[in-house]
Amino acid sequence: YPLVVAHTHRRLRSALYSMLLVSIATSALMPRASLALSSPGAAAMRARPTMLADAAQLGSALLANGAAAQDFTPLLLGQAGVCGSMLVGGYGLEKFGDVPEPKEVGAEDGAVDIYRDSPLRYCGYLNEVGEAFRPLIPVEIVYLSYVGAITYILADTLDKGRKGGAQGGEGAVVRATFGAVDTFSWQMLASVVFPSFCINRLVVILVSLQAQAYCPEALQAGWLPTAAGLLAIPALIVPLDVLAHWVLNGSLRKVSAKVLDCEGIETECYVGDQ
């Protein structure tokens, strides 16, 4: 018991230190109120943190606007570094690591899964194609590409949950729920979040380079960033799929393994084969 209390105190102390550092950083970045404000109340209103506005602006820059040229700020360079780290990490895990993929509960050997084994699976790449074409098409079409990709993901999610529940037996509902959540989480990471971010940043960086005075005229064709984005799609598949499995193996699938008691010989679980 004393060890538990001491460990809890250390966790609380670490959390408080983290909150203090975040508060200091937020205060340093927070815009200052103008000295010409007419009242203390107005000054307080103007000085409130704009965290939500900043987050909304960042999300808008990543997903909602056209691929306009941007300055090469530390933020943009950092985002490019994150994409590069994701690719290197994914390829490294695929080559040198041991990242198990989950077995699909209820899947029959040799059976065709229309969401994984038919041309329907290409719907999962609609958003990536939309991001590649962002400089050339209205942004509303990019939105539709996300709608198509997420609709496909939801259909695959329902299918995997149904197969898990169809096995029956004890814990069928929980097993179906974990199967559906696992499928949705993996598909969103591997098909939407990771690749869309990388392709979006790649296209924006190329558009920004084209806007520089030193860029040769031969490299200023408007279709070049789109072509690079399309060529990047097959290069992203393997590393980002593996990276998504690695993330879930260390988080959601640990929870599902404990809840479903996946160490039991008779238990089928939506977790990676060890």
Side-chain angles (χ1 to χ4, degrees), residues 146-202:
Y146 277 88
V147 171
I150 294 175
T151 300
Y152 157 80
I153 290 172
L154 292 175
D156 189 28
T157 298
L158 291 175
D159 178 67
K160 299 306 178 289
R162 178 186 59 81
K163 288 180 179 178
Q167 294 299 295
E170 185 179 356
V173 174
V174 177
R175 186 168 59 248
T177 301
F178 272 111
V181 171
D182 188 290
T183 299
F184 180 79
S185 300
W186 183 81
Q187 286 278 23
M188 286 298 294
L189 289 177
S191 300
V192 177
V193 178
F194 290 167
S196 295
F197 176 75
C198 291
I199 293 175
N200 180 284
R201 295 297 86 187
L202 172 63

Side-chain angles (χ1 to χ4, degrees), residues 8-96:
T8 303
H9 286 173
R10 285 197 298 271
R11 294 285 298 275
L12 289 174
R13 189 163 56 249
S14 299
L16 290 174
Y17 287 157
S18 300
M19 293 173 62
L20 179 60
L21 290 175
V22 171
S23 299
I24 294 173
T26 304
S27 300
L29 296 174
M30 187 175 62
R32 299 295 189 266
S34 173
L35 294 177
L37 293 173
S38 59
S39 68
M45 290 294 293
R46 295 292 183 86
R48 285 181 178 175
T50 57
M51 187 180 300
L52 291 178
D54 292 343
Q57 184 177 5
L58 177 59
S60 177
L62 292 177
L63 298 176
N65 296 330
Q70 299 180 13
D71 295 331
F72 287 94
T73 62
L75 176 60
L76 181 59
L77 297 177
Q79 292 167 348
V82 169
C83 293
S85 299
M86 291 167 64
L87 289 178
V88 172
Y91 276 119
L93 289 170
E94 194 271 337
K95 182 70 174 179
F96 305 107

Side-chain angles (χ1 to χ4, degrees), residues 155-256:
D156 189 28
T157 298
L158 291 175
D159 178 67
K160 299 306 178 289
R162 178 186 59 81
K163 288 180 179 178
Q167 294 299 295
E170 185 179 356
V173 174
V174 177
R175 186 168 59 248
T177 301
F178 272 111
V181 171
D182 188 290
T183 299
F184 180 79
S185 300
W186 183 81
Q187 286 278 23
M188 286 298 294
L189 289 177
S191 300
V192 177
V193 178
F194 290 167
S196 295
F197 176 75
C198 291
I199 293 175
N200 180 284
R201 295 297 86 187
L202 172 63
V203 170
V204 166
I205 287 173
L206 293 178
V207 170
S208 301
L209 285 173
Q210 289 181 325
Q212 303 300 314
Y214 53 76
C215 181
E217 185 176 355
L219 298 178
Q220 294 184 2
W223 55 267
L224 284 177
T226 293
L230 292 174
L231 291 174
I233 293 176
L236 295 174
I237 294 175
V238 171
L240 298 187
D241 283 3
V242 173
L243 186 62
H245 280 305
W246 181 78
V247 170
L248 292 178
N249 287 346
S251 54
L252 174 65
R253 290 169 187 164
K254 286 187 177 293
V255 176
S256 63

